[in-house]
């Protein structure tokens, strides 16, 4: 996030917290439960990143609808799994939420043992979705999915792809594509998306996955060819087909939303979901999301759970049997 965007969201959250102490909550549609202390929104990554940005956006937009402060707490470490473990084992009383739905929820637990599993969470609401775009270097001759598959079939293991780190959602997206296409490629992990893109541009790897915004900028600069998205078509690059359109059963995207510990009562989930849904319908949310280049993608708690479950199952199918969590 640019400093101006981070400042915008942080300032908005601060204003929301101040307002919270002087405002009562709007009438609730869910009866029988109300928060009695600050609600923690736990983020598994450092301040300033995409997950943190989502947390501060939804906290800012929703604060005036709650009688208690919404407090963003950063607990970075282990690709987001440290925060996920903390929330999975927190008291299921509605006062501790996780920004989940991405690598820590749908991908990492399928690659390695973790001290939690996806079924230890209840969905509250999906906040946003981020398309993922497969790109190749301009001039490489790999200017379509068909060209990539043909090369990989003729030369198993010859093509290499970059990811932002092992076991993450970008790594898993390639694994699902490989499984669907019946091909084999080499995985080269990097410490983040920027180094992965730099490796592609430098000719060290043949493919990478980047965001639609980055893809459009690199395409306009003549640096890359976007060959497919891994879910549906992205509004920023509408001419780029989805893998599903090309005959590959791939539907993965980087989702971010709010989840609670599995034992959280229905009344608390309903209370939280109703308010966060209203917040996402607000002008404040729309304005901040646009300025921060976030694509809203609301799903109800149950719909969000299903979306995470479907993605996790696809990844597990591509990898093999899922390890048991401790």
């Amino acid at each position: 996030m640019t400093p101006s965007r981070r400042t915008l969201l942080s300032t908005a959250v601060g204003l929301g917290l101040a307002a919270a102490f002087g405002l009562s909550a709007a009438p609730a549609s869910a009866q029988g439960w109300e928060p009695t202390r600050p609600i923690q929104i736990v983020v598994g990554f450092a301040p300033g990143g995409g997950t943190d940005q989502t947390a501060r956006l939804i906290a800012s937009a929703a604060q005036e609808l709650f009688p208690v402060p919404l407090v963003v707490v950063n607990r970075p470490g282990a690709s987001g799994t440290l925060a996920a473990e903390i929330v999975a084992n927190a008291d299921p009383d509605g006062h501790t939420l996780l920004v989940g739905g991405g690598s820590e929820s749908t991908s990492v637990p399928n690659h390695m043992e973790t001290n939690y599993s996806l079924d230890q969470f209840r969905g509250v609401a999906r906040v946003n979705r981020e398309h993922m775009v497969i790109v190749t270097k301009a001039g490489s001759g790999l200017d379509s999915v068909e060209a990539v598959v043909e090369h990989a079939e003729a030369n198993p293991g010859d093509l290499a792809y970059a990811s932002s780190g092992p076991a993450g959602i970008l790594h898993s997206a390639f694994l699902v594509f490989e499984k669907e296409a019946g091909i084999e490629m080499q995985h080269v992990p990097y410490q983040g998306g920027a180094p992965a893109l730099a490796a592609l541009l430098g000719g060290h790897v043949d493919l990478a996955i980047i965001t639609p915004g980055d893809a459009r900028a690199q395409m306009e600069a003549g640096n890359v060819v976007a060959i497919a998205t891994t879910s549906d078509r992205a509004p920023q690059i509408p001419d780029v087909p989805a893998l599903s359109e090309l005959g590959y059963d791939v539907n993965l995207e980087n989702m971010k939303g709010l989840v609670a510990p599995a034992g959280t009562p229905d009344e608390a989930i309903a209370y939280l979901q109703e308010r966060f849904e209203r917040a996402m319908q607000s002008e404040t949310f729309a304005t901040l999301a646009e300025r921060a280049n976030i694509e809203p993608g609301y799903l109800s708690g149950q719909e969000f759970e299903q979306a995470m479950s479907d993605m996790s199952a696809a990844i597990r199918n591509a990898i093999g049997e899922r390890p048991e969590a401790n």
Side-chain angles (χ1 to χ4, degrees), residues 135 138 197 200-201 210-225:
V135 295
L197 176 58
L200 175 71
L201 298 179
I210 59 180
T211 66
D214 288 342
R216 183 173 62 186
Q218 294 294 332
M219 290 165 66
E220 291 174 349
N223 295 329
V224 306
V225 177

Side-chain angles (χ1 to χ4, degrees), residues 41-45 51-52 54-55 58 97-102 104-105 256-259:
I41 300 177
V42 183
V43 176
F45 302 90
T51 306
D52 178 73
T54 294
I58 191 61
L97 306 176
L98 172 73
V99 180
E104 77 295 316
S105 305
K256 293 180 177 64
L258 300 173
V259 298

Side-chain angles (χ1 to χ4, degrees), residues 133-147:
V133 187
I134 300 177
V135 295
T136 59
K137 187 178 180 182
S140 67
L142 301 172
D143 57 358
S144 67
V145 172
E146 181 181 17

Side-chain angles (χ1 to χ4, degrees), residues 74-86:
N74 296 89
R75 294 292 181 89
S79 300
T81 61
L82 175 62
E85 181 182 345
I86 290 172

